Amino acid sequence: MVLTCPVGTGRTTQRDQASGHSRRKLLRAGALLALGGAAAPLTGCDLFDRDDQPAPPPDPLRPMVDEALGLAAAYKASATAHPDLADRLGPIAEAHTAHATELARVIGVALPSTVAAAPTDPADDPAGALAALRRLEKTAQQSATAACAAAPAERAALLGSITAARATHQEALK
């Protein structure tokens, strides 16, 4: 750095005996100006408060909500197709709806306003409908068991009770 103004090493300069500035003060001021000049343009380009954060990944329990709603829809479709099974299937459909509601509350999502479609059409005869529902329950129980094993402690109790309910539903359908 070349300094073109008189710089004193003490209280006065050699040229005119006037009070001068030390090199240390000038270097310090220059450094502060350089830092301030470099930081000033950064505040205008939105470097420090960026709003384009990536969306968080979907909650791993979201598929469980959809699965519970699908099971409830399957039970309601079978109860509609076979009115003689409605008393038996209605409470199980309500249990699946309650599971979906609680799971949605835990993960902080709203339940869809439209009713989920049943994963499969109900069988023509009541025995076939019950067998199809047992298969759906078994698959759903396996997925709930896997979710329970992978879930953190605060969610494991809920998933464990859903797993147990699905096992109980299989027995109720026999």
Side-chain angles (χ1 to χ4, degrees):
M1 173 188 256
V2 176
L3 300 173
T4 58
C5 65
V7 176
T9 55
R11 294 183 232 322
T12 59
T13 62
Q14 293 176 347
R15 258 198 236 170
D16 58 1
Q17 300 298 321
S19 151
H21 303 288
S22 71
R23 282 192 181 124
R24 188 172 289 167
K25 284 184 184 177
L26 284 174
L27 289 173
R28 195 176 296 145
L32 287 174
L33 283 173
L35 286 175
L42 293 178
T43 60
C45 69
D46 199 25
L47 177 68
F48 297 112
D49 43 325
R50 299 187 65 118
D51 291 333
D52 58 347
Q53 298 295 327
D59 194 289
L61 291 185
R62 179 61 204 203
M64 294 288 297
V65 174
D66 298 334
E67 184 178 56
L69 290 174
L71 285 168
Y75 277 94
K76 289 175 185 174
S78 292
T80 302
H82 306 290
D84 53 321
L85 295 176
D87 290 340
R88 190 172 172 190
L89 301 180
I92 299 174
E94 290 172 11
H96 286 299
T97 302
H99 294 160
T101 302
E102 185 61 19
L103 286 166
R105 185 194 65 76
V106 166
I107 65 174
V109 297
L111 285 178
S113 58
T114 59
V115 177
T120 59
D121 290 329
D124 292 334
D125 62 313
L130 292 175
L133 290 172
R134 272 196 309 273
R135 284 190 300 276
L136 286 174
E137 283 287 353
K138 183 167 182 70
T139 303
Q141 180 193 6
Q142 291 168 347
S143 68
T145 301
C148 183
E154 64 270 7
R155 293 179 172 187
L158 172 63
L159 292 170
S161 66
I162 290 173
T163 302
R166 291 176 178 179
T168 303
H169 297 161
Q170 290 176 55
E171 293 300 315
L173 294 172
K174 287 186 178 178

